[in-house]
Amino acid sequence: MISFENIVKWIQAFLSAHLPHIWVLAVEAVIIIIAAIALFAILGLVLVIMERRVAAFMQIRFGPNRVGPWGLLQSTADTIKLIMKESIVPDNSDKFLFNLAPFMVMIPAMLILAPINFAKHFFIWDLNIGILFVSSISSISVIGILMGGWASSNKYSLHGAMRSGAQIVSYELSGGLSILTIIVLCGSLKVSDIITAQETGWWIFRGHIPAIIAFVIYMIAVTAETNRAPFDLAEAESELTAGFHTEYSGMRFALFFLAEYINIFIVCAVGATLFFGGWMPFHIGTWHAFNHIMDFIPSSIWFFGKTFFLIFLIMWFRWTFPRLRIDQLLNLEWKYLMPISMVNLLVMTVCAIYHLHF
Amino acid sequence: MFIVEYLKEVTNAVKSLATGMKLTGYYFTHHKEIITQEYPDNRATLKMADRFKGEVVMPHDANNEHACTGCTSCELACPNGSIKVITKFDINADGKKKKAVDQHIYRLDMCTMCGLCIEACPTDAIKMANTFEHSVPDRNMLVKRLNNNGSKIREGVE
Amino acid sequence: MYHINEIVKNNTLIPSILAEADANDYIINIGPQHPATHGVLNLLITLNGETIKKVEPHLGFIHRSMEKMCESLSYRQFIYVTSRMDYLSAHINNHACALLVEKALQIEVPERAQYIRVIMDELTRIASHLLWWGAMAMDMGAFTPYFYAFRERELLTEIMEDTCGARLTMNYMVPGGVMQDPHEKFQHRVTTEFLPLLKSKLHEYEELVTDNIIFQNRVKDVGILSKEDAISYGCSGPTARASGVECDIRKLYPYDIYNKVEFNEVFETAGDSMARYLVRMKEIKESVSIIEQLIDNIPEGDFQAKTKAVLKLPKGEFYQRVETARGELGIFVVSEGGTTPYRIKFRSPGFSNLSCLDHITRGSKIGDLVASMGTLDLVIPDIDR
């Protein structure tokens, strides 16, 4: 049977048969880099078209449906346009930081791909502190936003960047705490361990109400962390025109834009891993026949299906809700999400200690 | 109780958000509600309102005759000077001179479609057509002559 | 970044906000090209972090010297210019001009025309409030309501198009009545298509925006305008009624057949953005009830009184006010007895309503400024003619 696992094994066997060990590593690294960039490009194109279609259907219109079949090539055409556009650098800007900022947003997004299990035994680097790695690297992206906002020498940009800083730093807390509730349940930070622990059922079903609360808080927190509406204060267009990327144009803007979508994919992939068992198929207790059918669906489809469902949820939020005000945003975090997730963590710890979960 | 109130607040908030999501979710799944008209594709079936004010035209009948006497009422009624009637003197069968329209110049680029000229016309010689695709490569093409070449006034119109 | 003192030093024509600013003030231009200003309004705001210290509106970007323009147009022609003032209540502006000419010349308007005019006014009011609702929600960051509002508004503009031939600047009112008889399907379409559709969708507006917790927090206790301030700033329309000021011209100085229809003047007392929002939402319902009272009872008769071809107003001064979707619109004409006005002055509701913006947003956040501006329902060509 063809699976990602077998392909990886075959490539490894092929390379080690022909090349010395150190060269095998080097070639594999190159393959991974190319694959990661390709994944980024494809994800960017797919997610943009998905967002536009979801928005359109919610707003009782068709959305892009002219370029290519069902408008699927629209985002490709847009990318070509962005590449060909002149990337204007403002006169008073700090040129070095201005040029660096988009990459400072993109590179962390790329790094986080490492521990994610895309399919059964298919990952770049399953390090033993996978989830910690994810949450620590994801906080770096705020530096890129601050950098871009500061270097633009634009008051809107600076304002947006400052808002973004306050927002991301505070929402990481409740995001991290809701991740912890699941870590408490499975007792490991390693992504593959977390997934194997959910073989008998996904944590969101087995973890009683605390797991559901943790999931809700996680979704709110990551929506805020990725600067998506209703928490898109960093780029609130009715207040700050475009926030931190006001002065960016052409491909530099596209990098910011792409990074936003990649970040959504990553946080949703982590959410799917933690709460919905990653690539683990849907199993119901002792219904062996049903479980067997579920096992036939490839693990990569399970993983991407779950991730895209969560991405859809985040898009659904965006196209329904009005935007919060900055003080309400911080109130929500510090007065509601933080206390709730702390109590929730405590309850979950008790559950885990006494093995009260299913 | 503080805790009870706090929890009530949270549940009410979540409920209000869920109703909103239910509504957008309904439209997401019910594509029949889509109201977009795909304009250039539906040209064949697209029907404009009868009275739609698209541009001023002067209807001519089969004998290439119109009803314009050249009285310049429309020119006087127009608030922004988009009509200019150039008159001439026809000599009719009896050898009398009679005022008639030579060129009825209409500037679509200046027209605001207020319809005052139609109101003012005593002989109903001009009317609003419901065409709307007016874009042209050159703005001089928006200056139109409404009376046809060689057309003349219909018998009996005074 | 230029230092503020440098700008002040190098510029002779500086707005007063810059002249008064001290070196630590953080000044941002909102507009003239900005998504929240709905047009070309320039707001110079002084900030202290997120908090607003001062707002100074600057006008003049869309000044078309309408008053001067009207002086060279006849009394039939100047009506069409007013459609371009507050383009969202074009019918009502035209109505005001027609009423003024009729008052001056003592033209008796047929009852049928009066009914049609009032129905058209109320349809325009609904259309204007629907657009405001969508645009305000968009200011708040919710994009979807805009499209829902336009769905209902689209049907309304189609009905208008059937009768008047245009969708936005209809130019339907003429001195002495209306330009054409309503389309034969007009009554049918309003009663069987538009009103049922609007009524069935009003609950969606509540579900999506009014009841939404985020929206409520955004507008409650934001931009509070007290009753006294509303009067002293000359606010009118829903903006003033939200502060509890009794100012509906339709009730106070009824024109056409407004004294024959039964409707309530909508009040709120809080004076905040939520009150302004609720007043407008309730006004939609009131307008629906006015239309329902009139639409099936349009009397037979002429749609236009016989008037002279050339209108000459007698020497004197004439004033006419109407209630547009935004408030009180007054038209003042000085006539020398000729075919064109000697001087004309429009008292537009938006200008007065905008003037309170600085007062109600001081000390609040940038998000509150957007919320207040959204609920003030500003149409820039109305403010700056």
Side-chain angles (χ1 to χ4, degrees):
Chain A
M1 198 175 138
I2 298 166
S3 71
F4 282 113
E5 191 189 353
N6 292 345
I7 294 169
V8 171
K9 274 186 186 154
W10 181 80
I11 289 174
Q12 198 145 23
F14 177 80
L15 288 176
S16 4
H18 292 86
L19 291 168
H21 181 65
I22 190 124
W23 280 105
V24 172
L25 272 182
V27 171
E28 277 179 355
V30 169
I31 293 173
I32 286 166
I33 289 167
I34 292 167
I37 291 171
L39 180 74
F40 263 43
I42 293 164
L43 272 178
L45 299 179
V46 169
L47 287 176
V48 170
I49 201 81
M50 177 180 167
E51 168 109 298
R52 293 183 63 178
R53 290 295 269 196
V54 166
F57 286 137
M58 283 182 180
Q59 295 171 343
I60 45 175
R61 51 192 183 90
F62 289 114
N65 61 354
R66 297 280 145 166
V67 189
W70 305 290
L72 286 176
L73 295 177
Q74 181 68 55
S75 48
T76 320
D78 288 345
T79 315
I80 292 168
K81 183 205 79 175
L82 282 169
I83 290 170
M84 301 211 298
K85 265 179 92 168
E86 185 189 358
S87 223
I88 299 162
V89 182
D91 223 12
N92 301 330
S93 64
D94 186 329
K95 304 275 183 318
F96 176 67
L97 291 184
F98 187 83
N99 292 329
L100 189 65
F103 300 101
M104 284 300 285
V105 178
M106 276 303 274
I107 289 166
M110 283 189 162
L111 281 176
I112 306 176
L113 283 183
I116 291 174
N117 284 236
F118 292 98
K120 201 173 186 178
H121 306 303
F122 180 70
F123 40 76
I124 296 170
W125 182 27
D126 192 24
L127 72 173
N128 56 357
I129 50 159
I131 292 296
L132 181 66
F133 177 82
V134 167
S135 51
S136 51
I137 298 289
S138 69
S139 14
I140 294 177
S141 67
V142 70
I143 294 173
I145 291 176
L146 279 173
M147 212 181 248
W150 173 256
S152 295
S153 162
N154 179 319
K155 287 176 181 178
Y156 288 127
S157 306
L158 184 60
H159 221 97
M162 285 309 174
R163 279 182 176 192
S164 176
Q167 180 181 331
I168 291 178
V169 166
S170 41
Y171 273 83
E172 247 156 28
L173 283 171
S174 53
L177 281 173
S178 50
I179 289 175
L180 265 187
T181 36
I182 300 302
I183 303 298
V184 162
L185 267 182
C186 47
S188 169
L189 286 167
K190 200 172 177 179
V191 175
S192 54
D193 284 355
I194 293 171
I195 294 171
T196 358
Q198 300 179 67
E199 199 163 6
T200 49
W202 305 343
W203 283 129
I204 193 154
F205 299 129
R206 283 167 61 201
H208 298 287
I209 292 165
I212 294 169
I213 294 175
F215 172 66
V216 171
I217 290 174
Y218 178 79
M219 286 314 283
I220 296 173
V222 298
T223 314
E225 251 183 90
T226 47
N227 282 329
R228 295 274 299 176
F231 307 101
D232 60 344
L233 286 138
E235 48 201 282
E237 80 293 307
S238 63
E239 293 157 33
L240 304 177
T241 44
F244 63 89
H245 57 65
T246 307
E247 294 289 354
Y248 282 89
S249 57
M251 211 50 213
R252 290 200 189 91
F253 163 74
L255 280 180
F256 272 120
F257 199 63
L258 190 61
E260 182 187 324
Y261 284 97
I262 302 301
N263 277 326
I264 295 166
F265 174 79
I266 285 160
V267 293
C268 289
V270 173
T273 308
L274 288 171
F275 297 96
F276 292 93
W279 47 261
M280 200 58 84
F282 183 61
H283 286 168
I284 299 176
T286 49
W287 296 17
H288 293 296
F290 177 80
N291 294 350
H292 202 63
I293 293 167
M294 287 290 139
D295 286 339
F296 266 108
I297 300 171
S299 56
S300 54
I301 289 186
W302 276 109
F303 173 77
F304 281 101
K306 289 165 188 173
T307 310
F308 274 83
F309 169 70
L310 294 185
I311 292 171
F312 170 70
L313 264 187
I314 286 184
M315 287 176 180
W316 198 354
F317 292 152
R318 171 162 182 186
W319 298 108
T320 307
F321 300 139
R323 184 182 302 122
L324 278 79
R325 204 170 60 209
I326 182 76
D327 56 327
Q328 289 165 354
L329 179 97
L330 298 178
N331 266 350
L332 174 71
E333 164 65 19
W334 296 101
K335 285 192 187 161
Y336 294 90
L337 297 186
M338 258 281 280
I340 292 174
S341 52
M342 280 170 127
V343 171
N344 194 38
L345 177 60
L346 189 71
V347 173
M348 187 58 107
T349 319
V350 172
C351 283
I353 289 169
Y354 291 100
H355 287 283
L356 292 174
H357 58 86
F358 297 111
Chain B
M1 270 291 279
F2 171 72
I3 295 287
V4 174
E5 261 174 38
Y6 180 89
L7 288 178
K8 212 182 253 174
E9 205 179 314
V10 171
T11 28
N12 281 341
V14 172
K15 212 187 270 173
S16 83
L17 298 178
T19 33
M21 283 179 71
K22 204 180 120 197
L23 185 70
T24 42
Y26 172 81
Y27 283 114
F28 180 74
T29 46
H30 290 69
H31 293 188
K32 265 187 208 158
E33 305 267 355
I34 289 175
I35 48 160
T36 313
Q37 294 183 7
E38 291 181 282
Y39 160 57
D41 298 348
N42 70 352
R43 242 192 189 146
T45 54
L46 185 72
K47 201 183 164 300
M48 296 304 289
D50 310 331
R51 295 182 184 176
F52 178 72
K53 294 189 266 197
E55 64 174 325
V56 177
V57 291
M58 186 183 285
H60 287 65
D61 61 12
N63 304 329
N64 201 13
E65 287 174 342
H66 56 75
C68 180
T69 56
C71 69
T72 67
S73 293
C74 47
E75 189 181 331
L76 292 171
C78 184
N80 35 23
S82 45
I83 294 178
K84 174 77 186 155
V85 183
I86 301 170
T87 53
K88 62 177 178 187
F89 285 99
D90 272 356
I91 299 164
N92 61 3
D94 310 341
K96 278 184 186 167
K97 270 191 179 177
K98 199 183 166 197
K99 202 177 176 188
V101 61
D102 182 25
Q103 287 180 50
H104 191 293
I105 309 291
Y106 167 59
R107 299 198 57 164
L108 181 57
D109 53 344
M110 281 164 70
C111 184
T112 56
M113 319 294 167
C114 64
L116 288 179
C117 50
I118 316 292
E119 278 262 291
C121 186
T123 55
D124 290 338
I126 47 174
K127 65 166 194 159
M128 281 285 183
N130 56 5
T131 50
F132 59 96
E133 287 161 329
H134 291 315
S135 66
V136 282
D138 182 0
R139 94 172 116 166
N140 289 331
M141 292 166 80
L142 291 170
V143 182
K144 297 179 179 183
R145 186 182 149 187
L146 294 188
N147 56 330
N148 285 358
N149 254 345
S151 66
K152 57 178 193 288
I153 188 161
R154 199 173 297 139
E155 286 293 312
V157 177
E158 286 302 320
Chain C
M1 258 185 242
Y2 290 115
H3 197 258
I4 180 72
N5 288 343
E6 264 172 74
I7 302 171
V8 172
K9 201 170 62 198
N10 297 333
N11 200 339
T12 48
L13 283 169
I14 39 166
S16 64
I17 197 168
L18 291 180
E20 289 165 17
D22 76 67
N24 296 322
D25 275 354
Y26 189 73
I27 298 170
I28 281 191
N29 267 306
I30 301 265
Q33 305 294 333
H34 191 276
T37 54
H38 299 294
V40 281
L41 174 70
N42 179 14
L43 296 174
L44 269 175
I45 58 175
T46 316
L47 289 176
N48 178 15
E50 279 279 341
T51 316
I52 292 167
K53 278 163 80 181
K54 193 178 176 188
V55 180
E56 195 178 298
H58 279 256
L59 303 175
F61 292 95
I62 193 165
H63 190 79
R64 293 154 292 172
S65 61
M66 272 192 176
E67 292 172 2
K68 208 74 198 158
M69 206 151 84
C70 288
E71 284 170 20
S72 63
L73 294 173
S74 78
Y75 290 108
R76 273 188 203 285
Q77 291 172 343
F78 91 106
I79 293 179
Y80 94 100
V81 180
T82 56
S83 308
R84 273 89 185 160
M85 252 161 50
D86 179 358
Y87 47 80
L88 292 180
S89 38
H91 261 314
I92 311 180
N93 295 350
N94 294 351
H95 195 171
C97 302
L99 281 172
L100 182 126
V101 176
E102 284 151 15
K103 196 160 85 175
L105 292 173
Q106 282 151 2
I107 299 169
E108 192 78 23
V109 183
E111 204 172 25
R112 182 179 175 79
Q114 294 188 14
Y115 270 75
I116 296 165
R117 281 177 171 187
V118 169
I119 292 168
M120 282 298 183
D121 277 10
E122 293 308 316
L123 287 177
T124 312
R125 199 182 309 280
I126 293 175
S128 168
H129 283 347
L130 284 176
L131 194 142
W132 155 80
W133 180 75
M136 183 225 44
M138 202 140 103
D139 283 350
M140 303 277 186
F143 287 85
T144 310
Y146 194 71
F147 294 89
Y148 294 175
F150 260 71
R151 170 186 49 189
E152 278 81 69
R153 195 176 177 275
E154 175 65 25
L155 185 55
L156 200 47
T157 44
E158 265 174 33
I159 291 171
M160 295 274 195
E161 196 184 356
D162 274 351
T163 294
C164 319
R167 297 163 66 89
L168 193 69
T169 49
M170 295 88 167
N171 199 49
Y172 185 53
M173 314 275 182
V174 291
V178 293
M179 201 177 252
Q180 284 164 306
D181 215 25
H183 198 265
E184 61 259 31
K185 274 195 264 166
F186 174 68
Q187 274 153 297
H188 179 76
R189 286 196 82 179
V190 172
T191 46
T192 61
E193 284 181 41
F194 174 66
L195 292 180
L197 177 80
L198 182 68
K199 281 183 192 162
S200 68
K201 301 295 183 190
L202 277 174
H203 78 96
E204 286 187 0
Y205 300 171
E206 272 156 30
E207 280 170 21
L208 196 60
V209 176
T210 317
D211 294 342
N212 192 300
I213 186 78
I214 301 173
F215 174 76
Q216 289 195 350
N217 282 327
R218 277 296 297 277
V219 291
K220 260 188 192 154
D221 299 324
V222 163
I224 297 171
L225 181 69
S226 69
K227 189 173 179 178
E228 289 74 27
D229 289 331
I231 294 170
S232 60
Y233 277 103
C235 297
S236 58
T239 308
R241 286 201 283 284
S243 309
V245 184
E246 202 177 321
C247 63
D248 197 330
I249 308 297
R250 293 174 293 172
K251 278 267 185 224
L252 297 176
Y253 307 96
Y255 47 95
D256 279 356
I257 49 157
Y258 272 117
N259 49 7
K260 288 186 198 160
V261 289
E262 289 200 0
F263 66 100
N264 300 320
E265 194 176 345
V266 184
F267 284 120
E268 287 285 330
T269 46
D272 57 356
S273 294
M274 189 68 186
R276 290 192 282 272
Y277 174 85
L278 288 175
V279 165
R280 289 204 168 82
M281 293 312 271
K282 284 179 191 159
E283 264 193 12
I284 294 180
K285 289 175 192 161
E286 284 301 322
S287 293
V288 168
S289 94
I290 293 176
I291 293 166
E292 277 177 339
Q293 288 172 45
L294 298 178
I295 189 78
D296 291 327
N297 304 323
I298 302 178
E300 293 297 316
D302 289 337
F303 57 87
Q304 207 184 90
K306 285 264 180 293
T307 48
K308 284 182 195 151
V310 179
L311 299 173
K312 279 187 182 172
L313 257 62
K315 204 169 175 183
E317 296 172 355
F318 306 97
Y319 186 69
Q320 176 65 44
R321 48 177 135 198
V322 293
E323 177 79 14
T324 72
R326 261 147 221 91
E328 177 188 336
L329 171 78
I331 298 185
F332 178 69
V333 168
V334 181
S335 171
E336 294 274 271
T339 53
T340 57
Y342 174 73
R343 173 79 173 91
I344 194 160
K345 160 87 185 131
F346 299 112
R347 184 258 181 233
S348 64
F351 186 79
S352 314
N353 289 354
L354 173 72
S355 65
C356 70
L357 186 67
D358 178 43
H359 174 74
I360 63 176
T361 49
R362 268 193 198 199
S364 51
K365 306 275 184 294
I366 301 179
D368 294 341
L369 171 78
V370 173
S372 304
M373 253 165 61
T375 50
L376 281 178
D377 192 8
L378 304 175
V379 169
I380 311 305
D382 176 42
I383 297 165
D384 186 17
R385 300 168 299 281

